[in-house]
Amino acid sequence: MTAVRKRRGAAARKRREQQLRSVIAGGVSVVVLVVFWGAIWPYLVGALVLGGVAGGGWWLWRTDRFIRGGDRQWRYDEAVKTGHRMLAEVDAMTGTEFEDFVVELCRRDGCTDVRRVGGSHDNGADVLGVLPDGRSMVIQCKRYTPKSRIPSREVRDLLGARVHFKVDVAIFVTTTYFSGPAEKFATENDILAVHRDHLGLWNNGASLLSLATVNGLGQGDRQHRARWKATYE
């Protein structure tokens, strides 16, 4: 029992000594702060100012990132809505709305100076502009039902428009398909014939220039005719 009391007494003395040292250290710190306050306070104020500036800068940076992120998301959503419409929605457009839709796709692909010129006296042109590679273009737009066919005479009119407007490239964009003679005339005269299938590719992100690599393809094989009949007949 005596040994236990001794250990307890030693522990109590040690705690009192630690408390005393803490009080003395705190008092010395206060005394030093009071004595040297005139020399210390500019550094303290400077540290507070720097901390405030750093905190404000961080807040502005975070806010800027948030705003820019929201703007990028909005632009992305708008691009998706513009470039990924269902063809059924395109079929429900008026002729003027379809021309505006083609203008939007051209601008999405980087075409410049794109403008709609269609009207009663359009000289065979609905859209004029400049391709991303610098060549000028004229576009004829025809929003027909999928069961219709573009006849040769309408493609010939576009060839005349290319001469009339003195442009480099003629493009025929339609929601349906070309007749055999019309498609042959287009490919023989370097007219880009964008039929319904190619319009779907363009609508879903393929560039306008990339469609030139499949010009004259995609609407004449047996499998395509079977799919078309299953969908529209």
Side-chain angles (χ1 to χ4, degrees):
M1 294 295 293
T2 304
V4 172
R5 285 196 295 271
K6 288 181 178 181
R7 285 197 298 270
R8 289 179 179 174
R13 284 194 300 272
K14 188 175 182 180
R15 286 195 298 270
R16 287 194 295 272
E17 290 174 357
Q18 290 176 345
Q19 292 173 354
L20 181 60
R21 285 196 294 268
S22 299
V23 171
I24 293 172
V28 171
S29 299
V30 171
V31 171
V32 171
L33 182 62
V34 171
V35 172
F36 296 100
W37 175 251
I40 293 174
W41 77 263
Y43 298 100
L44 293 177
V45 172
L48 291 174
V49 170
L50 288 175
V53 170
W58 178 84
W59 181 84
L60 290 174
W61 175 76
R62 291 286 296 176
T63 303
D64 180 71
R65 287 197 62 183
F66 176 78
I67 293 174
R68 288 178 182 272
D71 182 66
R72 282 195 299 270
Q73 185 63 43
W74 177 82
R75 291 180 184 276
Y76 173 79
D77 292 341
E78 289 300 305
V80 168
K81 287 190 291 184
T82 299
H84 293 75
R85 291 186 176 94
M86 297 292 291
L87 287 183
E89 296 180 57
V90 179
D91 291 334
M93 293 179 178
T94 65
T96 300
E97 289 172 341
F98 180 59
E99 292 169 7
D100 289 334
F101 171 65
V102 171
V103 168
E104 290 176 358
L105 290 178
C106 289
R107 289 173 176 165
R108 182 203 70 187
D109 287 352
C111 299
T112 57
D113 196 26
V114 184
R115 59 197 185 280
R116 187 170 62 82
V117 295
S120 57
H121 302 289
D122 58 14
N123 294 305
D126 292 317
V127 176
L128 293 172
V130 179
L131 290 164
D133 60 10
R135 291 179 296 167
S136 55
M137 66 176 180
V138 58
I139 302 178
Q140 179 64 258
C141 304
K142 292 296 182 184
R143 192 209 57 77
Y144 289 163
T145 62
K147 292 185 178 181
S148 302
R149 285 292 182 271
I150 301 297
S152 298
R153 66 176 182 276
E154 295 193 6
V155 183
R156 290 193 180 92
D157 290 342
L158 179 58
L159 182 62
R162 183 172 69 185
V163 175
H164 175 78
F165 288 99
K166 298 180 177 63
V167 297
D168 302 313
V169 179
I171 304 171
F172 201 116
V173 182
T174 180
T175 55
T176 184
Y177 300 97
F178 295 88
S179 67
E183 187 178 46
K184 181 180 179 182
F185 181 86
T187 55
E188 289 178 348
N189 290 275
D190 294 324
I191 295 173
L192 180 55
V194 181
H195 55 70
R196 186 177 184 84
D197 292 350
H198 293 168
L199 178 61
L201 293 175
W202 192 19
N203 182 48
N204 285 323
S207 69
L208 178 58
L209 290 177
S210 71
L211 299 180
T213 61
V214 291
N215 193 30
L217 303 175
Q219 66 171 30
D221 59 89
R222 182 180 301 176
Q223 291 181 342
H224 176 271
R225 287 194 296 271
R227 290 195 302 270
W228 183 89
K229 288 182 179 180
T231 304
Y232 299 109
E233 291 188 351

